[in-house]
Amino acid sequence: MMKFQDWGEVPYEIAWKRQEEMMQMQVSRKMNGEPTESTLVFCSHPHVYTLGKSGKAGNMLYDDGTIPFVKTNRGGDITYHGPGQITGYPIFDIENYHLGLKHYIYNVEEAIIRTIALYGIVGERLEGATGVWIEAHTPRARKICAIGVRASHFVTMHGFALNVNTDLTYFQRINPCGFVDKGVTSIAKEIGAEADYELVKQQLHQKFIEVFESDK
C-alpha cells in the first residue's frame, strides 16, 4: 500500500537529504530480505534551480546569485522549483509494482496526464523527452511537468515538478530541461485562472493511487 506525506514548503537540500535517508532505509530492508514500503511525498520549494547529473551547466543562462543553484544526482538536465509548483518525490520500491524504471516513469507521466485532464488540459508524451507536454508534436510544444529520477536496487527517489500556479518567468533564466526551442506552462496559464493548489494535490494523490495500485 502506498503511503503519503505532505512536507509543505521545505528547502530543496533538506528535502533531498530526507529522500536519501528514506531511500537508503528501503534499500537496506531489501538487502536484508525484509518487506519494503512505498511513500509518495509532495512538497514545494523556495526558489531554486537544480541540475541533473548529466545536465549542462551552460543551460543556466543568467545567474545573479540571488537564487540557489544545486547540482543534484537525479537524471535530466536543469529545471526550476518554486512556490505554486507541486514537487513530488515517490520513494517507491518499483519491484513491488512489478515495474522496470521505464514503465515506472511512464506511470508517473500517466498520473500527471490524468490529473491535468480534470482541468480540460490534454497532456502528452514526447519521444526522447521525459515529462508531460502540451501540444507536444507542434511548434507550440510546452512542458507542464518535468521528471528526473534516481534509482538504486529498484528503489526510486527524486521525481517530478508539476507547474500549478508557478511564476513561469523564472524559467527565462534557463534552457528548461536543456531545450532551447520549447516552452513551459502551468495549469493556471492553460486555464487562464489560478488553480486551487490544495485540490490539485488531492487529485494528483488519487491519480497516483489509481495508476500504481491498479498495476500491482
Side-chain angles (χ1 to χ4, degrees), residues 102 109 125-131 133 137 143 177 179 182:
K102 188 174 181 180
E109 292 168 338
R125 296 175 180 86
L126 183 60
E127 187 71 30
T130 304
W133 298 79
H137 302 93
K143 182 177 276 192
C177 303
F179 291 100
K182 294 177 174 61

Side-chain angles (χ1 to χ4, degrees), residues 10-205:
V10 58
Y12 182 83
E13 288 176 298
I14 292 176
W16 182 7
K17 184 173 183 290
R18 285 186 194 171
Q19 288 182 73
E20 291 278 7
E21 291 168 353
M22 292 171 70
M23 179 197 205
Q24 290 307 320
M25 182 180 295
Q26 296 310 311
V27 169
S28 294
R29 291 179 65 87
K30 199 168 188 176
M31 295 299 96
N32 291 330
E34 300 172 35
T36 56
E37 59 188 27
S38 294
T39 303
L40 176 63
V41 174
F42 284 173
C43 63
S44 66
H45 299 306
H47 303 296
V48 63
Y49 293 102
T50 67
L51 182 70
K53 60 189 178 187
S54 58
K56 297 177 181 176
N59 283 320
M60 183 77 192
L61 303 177
Y62 171 72
D63 183 4
D64 61 2
T66 61
I67 298 176
F69 176 66
V70 180
K71 292 182 179 179
T72 181
N73 60 353
R74 61 164 171 79
D77 207 289
I78 196 168
T79 198
Y80 160 79
H81 298 303
Q85 186 184 73
I86 298 173
T87 308
Y89 298 128
I91 315 296
F92 286 4
D93 180 353
I94 57 176
E95 286 193 314
N96 287 344
Y97 296 102
H98 312 295
L99 298 174
L101 193 59
K102 188 174 181 180
H103 194 173
Y104 161 72
I105 291 172
Y106 183 95
N107 275 13
V108 172
E109 292 168 338
E110 184 64 25
I112 303 292
I113 288 169
R114 293 187 191 185
T115 301
I116 64 176
L118 299 172
Y119 295 85
I121 303 169
V122 180
E124 300 177 313
R125 296 175 180 86
L126 183 60
E127 187 71 30
T130 304
V132 177
W133 298 79
I134 315 298
E135 295 185 301
H137 302 93
T138 76
R140 298 186 68 237
R142 53 206 183 274
K143 182 177 276 192
I144 197 166
C145 181
I147 295 175
V149 304
R150 178 183 171 227
S152 176
H153 300 280
F154 292 96
V155 178
T156 64
M157 63 173 285
H158 295 300
F160 65 89
L162 173 62
N163 295 323
V164 181
N165 299 319
T166 316
D167 182 346
L168 300 175
T169 61
Y170 286 95
F171 286 96
Q172 295 171 5
R173 300 184 180 205
I174 62 175
N175 290 325
C177 303
F179 291 100
V180 297
D181 60 344
K182 294 177 174 61
V184 290
T185 190
S186 65
I187 292 176
K189 184 174 181 180
E190 294 299 316
I191 66 175
E194 189 165 295
D196 184 329
Y197 183 81
E198 292 301 320
L199 178 59
V200 177
K201 280 202 290 191
Q202 293 169 24
Q203 292 166 331
L204 184 53
H205 181 198

